[in-house]
Amino acid sequence: MKAFAFVIIQLSFAISCISQTVFISGEVKNPGEKKEVTVFYYNNNIEWVLETAEKVSIDSKGNFSMRFSWNKAMHADLLIDDEHTDLFLIPGDSIHITVDYNNFDSTISYSGKGEADNNYLAKELIQNFKNKAKVRSNLTEANTYKNYVDSILKENQKFYNSYDSKGLSNEFKKFIETSIKYRYVDPKYMFSVEYNPTTKKMGKKELPKGYFDFLNAIDLNDEKSLDIVEYVVALDRYGSEKMDFNNDKSIADSLPDAKKAEMKMVKIYYYTKQIFKDKVLDYELTEWLYRIIKRNTNDIKIVDDLIKDYKATCKNQAYISIIDNTYIQINQLTKGSIPPAFSLINEEGKKVSLNDLKGKIVYIDFWSTSCVPCRLEMPDSKKLIEKYKDKEIVFLYINIEDNKESWIKYLEKNKEGTHLYADRELSKKLMHDYAFDGIPHFVLIDRAGKLIDVNAERPSGKADKQIARALGN
């Protein structure tokens, strides 16, 4: 009887272990050159570090299989060679995928446990709702564009409501309903952002009164949606608009810029404490402090008092650990520190390491062909290359989070400087190691291979003066 009980315990343990995993198999017709399948996910909605759940090869017959740990229902990314699609995975799922690589989006199909959730995502993707909402080249009037995006939202909601929901998991329903509700906040907000050719900076458009009223519909304390990207992005857009203290008359214009920036930081922090509560407050304070610490690499001590208050306020120990670890990391990226090493391929496929460039000043530009602000910096960057062509400086352009073919095509007409490419995994590592969230991002390194500034000036800004000082001019 004891032996039987022991077998039951072992069997229960085995079932429990399997229930905390996901199994994915598949058949890929006409696979690409790499013949690789990878499942990615982000570690959290603050650091956005891309983690690999599993990576396997496609065999000679086009088949693959993988099993990996998975402890909660959440979104994931599936990458088959260079083709990408979304997944929604629940512990215990067992999914079989069939796809023709040459017609990826239109042929991908799922069967098995978890099929309904993922077949919905595949069918919704073909509708192209999210990309439709971002098309605004012919819609220059603000409210016209806003109404257009709202019409896409209604189309998306209609598609979901008319879809045969039989088999959709409750977890997925919560995820997709929240995603649809908030995914159109971002394109409406981004309509307000434009490039100013005079200042050579991104700025805000003059918009009709009431344009941002759509932000008032955001539930500021939906703590159950904090794992859903579209919701936290909506919260960020709300904060960006509602907590804009650039024209705050209580901050004297005669003050030094550094002091004004510090006062704005304090105002934003305490305003955040007023409008959010509980778990959402913990998230918002952590997400904001995380970004602020990374932006103040040359004067990190200015956030010390805010961190002290934050630790007395935040109840989430995992969040506090993120802030502690980020603070330590940024202290290791101050002037005179050794920058994180990397080795990347150039356009000829040859490896180039940062150490190879030691002995020269290195001005790094992290960029992407799809990034408009990045490309707007290029004319000024080329002027710097021309100005310092006879000096011991390398203008190093590192292409991240981009399509390799788009990068190669760009280089056909833009060969100035030294160009390196980082694939998706290396891109995320570089962003983490160099502590930046968005691009373009610039870094300046001295001849000895030590950091001058991990948040260097832009070519359109004060980069010229910063480079001249580094060269000793």
Side-chain angles (χ1 to χ4, degrees):
M1 191 70 181
K2 288 182 179 179
F4 178 74
F6 180 69
V7 170
I8 293 295
I9 291 170
Q10 283 188 313
L11 182 60
S12 298
F13 178 74
I15 292 171
S16 174
C17 289
I18 291 173
S19 69
Q20 292 302 303
T21 66
V22 165
F23 177 76
I24 300 177
S25 60
E27 302 168 47
V28 183
K29 185 179 178 181
N30 303 311
E33 292 181 7
K34 297 178 186 175
K35 293 182 172 56
E36 291 178 345
V37 180
T38 313
V39 174
F40 297 103
Y41 65 96
Y42 287 104
N43 66 332
N44 55 58
N45 286 347
I46 294 171
E47 297 172 292
W48 299 102
V49 175
L50 198 63
E51 306 279 6
T52 300
E54 187 59 281
K55 183 176 184 177
V56 298
S57 297
I58 300 171
D59 68 22
S60 59
K61 295 181 179 179
N63 299 316
F64 71 89
S65 66
M66 59 172 72
R67 183 183 294 279
F68 48 88
S69 298
W70 200 257
N71 58 20
K72 67 177 180 178
M74 60 183 279
H75 170 271
D77 293 298
L78 173 69
L79 190 67
I80 299 181
D81 277 7
D82 293 323
E83 290 286 354
H84 162 271
T85 195
D86 294 322
L87 293 175
F88 186 83
L89 301 176
I90 299 174
D93 277 353
S94 181
I95 301 169
H96 185 75
I97 299 170
T98 58
V99 65
D100 182 344
Y101 186 77
N102 291 339
N103 298 285
F104 194 85
D105 291 343
S106 61
T107 62
I108 193 163
S109 180
Y110 305 87
S111 59
K113 187 178 181 184
E115 65 179 49
D117 297 345
N118 290 288
N119 279 323
Y120 173 86
L121 289 176
K123 289 179 172 60
E124 187 191 68
L125 179 65
I126 295 172
Q127 301 301 313
N128 206 30
F129 292 124
K130 288 187 274 189
N131 286 334
K132 283 181 186 176
K134 294 176 183 177
V135 176
R136 52 177 182 263
S137 57
N138 297 322
L139 299 170
T140 56
E141 198 280 317
N143 286 322
T144 301
Y145 176 71
K146 186 165 69 167
N147 291 336
Y148 166 73
V149 175
D150 286 339
S151 73
I152 302 299
L153 166 60
K154 289 176 183 177
E155 277 185 47
N156 199 162
Q157 289 173 327
K158 183 179 178 181
F159 177 82
Y160 173 68
N161 292 334
S162 63
Y163 187 83
D164 182 3
S165 62
K166 185 179 179 181
L168 294 181
S169 66
N170 290 331
E171 295 94 333
F172 179 75
K173 288 178 182 177
K174 165 63 178 173
F175 164 79
I176 198 63
E177 288 167 10
T178 304
S179 174
I180 293 170
K181 180 179 180 181
Y182 291 113
R183 67 174 50 151
Y184 299 99
V185 169
D186 188 55
K188 285 189 282 190
Y189 175 86
M190 289 305 295
F191 180 85
S192 69
V193 179
E194 68 177 355
Y195 177 72
N196 186 322
T198 303
T199 62
K200 295 184 178 180
K201 293 181 180 179
M202 303 301 291
K204 286 286 195 72
K205 294 178 184 175
E206 288 292 331
L207 296 171
K209 185 178 179 181
Y211 177 82
F212 287 106
D213 286 352
F214 63 90
L215 294 173
N216 297 328
I218 298 171
D219 181 350
L220 300 183
N221 290 291
D222 183 3
E223 60 186 43
K224 292 181 179 179
S225 295
L226 284 172
D227 285 335
I228 299 174
V229 172
E230 290 81 0
Y231 176 63
V232 297
V233 169
L235 289 178
D236 180 70
R237 299 316 188 197
Y238 181 93
S240 296
E241 180 59 26
K242 301 292 184 178
M243 291 184 263
D244 184 355
F245 292 103
N246 287 325
N247 298 313
D248 191 327
K249 294 180 180 178
S250 68
I251 301 174
D253 198 49
S254 57
L255 291 170
D257 288 344
K259 184 61 179 177
K260 287 191 285 187
E262 185 178 346
M263 291 175 70
K264 289 173 189 174
M265 280 171 43
V266 173
K267 280 180 172 287
I268 291 171
Y269 178 85
Y270 285 103
Y271 186 70
T272 300
K273 290 185 69 172
Q274 289 178 32
I275 62 176
F276 298 105
K277 61 183 181 181
D278 301 330
K279 291 182 180 180
V280 178
L281 174 61
D282 288 348
Y283 169 81
E284 283 293 305
L285 288 179
T286 307
E287 195 274 338
W288 180 80
L289 263 179
Y290 177 76
R291 286 187 285 117
I292 289 299
I293 291 170
K294 295 210 294 185
R295 289 175 187 172
N296 287 276
T297 51
N298 292 326
D299 191 12
I300 195 172
K301 298 297 182 184
I302 66 173
V303 298
D304 282 356
D305 287 341
L306 296 182
I307 290 175
K308 185 177 179 181
D309 183 88
Y310 161 80
K311 287 186 175 182
T313 303
C314 182
K315 298 177 177 63
N316 188 317
Q317 189 57 50
Y319 285 171
I320 292 173
S321 294
I322 289 173
I323 295 302
D324 285 341
N325 291 336
T326 304
Y327 191 91
I328 292 169
Q329 181 194 18
I330 295 304
N331 269 317
Q332 295 170 345
L333 292 173
T334 54
K335 185 176 181 179
S337 302
I338 301 297
F342 57 78
S343 180
L344 304 169
I345 60 167
N346 62 16
E347 61 269 36
E348 297 172 352
K350 296 178 181 178
K351 286 266 182 104
V352 177
S353 72
L354 180 59
N355 194 56
D356 294 337
L357 307 176
K358 199 170 181 180
K360 295 184 178 181
I361 301 295
V362 181
Y363 182 71
I364 304 177
D365 178 348
F366 292 98
W367 75 291
S368 166
T369 61
S370 60
C371 165
V372 175
C374 298
R375 296 185 70 154
L376 289 171
E377 290 291 334
M378 289 302 181
D380 288 295
S381 189
K382 290 178 181 180
K383 290 177 184 177
L384 291 176
I385 292 175
E386 178 61 26
K387 180 175 181 177
Y388 293 107
K389 63 183 179 182
D390 297 323
K391 302 294 183 180
E392 291 185 335
I393 180 170
V394 176
F395 287 87
L396 181 61
Y397 298 89
I398 299 181
N399 182 272
I400 66 171
E401 294 201 311
D402 205 350
N403 178 282
K404 191 174 181 181
E405 286 70 30
S406 299
W407 173 63
I408 293 293
K409 187 176 181 180
Y410 176 86
L411 293 184
E412 290 174 2
K413 297 181 179 179
N414 300 274
K415 298 185 181 296
E416 298 90 346
T418 300
H419 292 265
L420 301 179
Y421 177 79
D423 63 20
R424 197 173 188 192
E425 289 180 83
L426 287 171
S427 294
K428 288 302 176 186
K429 186 176 188 308
L430 287 166
M431 293 177 76
H432 176 264
D433 290 351
Y434 280 86
F436 65 95
D437 300 309
I439 50 177
H441 183 80
F442 306 92
V443 175
L444 191 60
I445 298 170
D446 68 18
R447 293 182 181 89
K450 295 182 179 181
L451 284 170
I452 294 174
D453 194 345
V454 78
N455 284 305
E457 298 287 348
R458 292 171 175 248
S460 63
K462 299 177 182 178
D464 189 5
K465 293 181 179 178
Q466 197 174 36
I467 289 169
R469 285 196 300 271
L471 288 166
N473 293 356

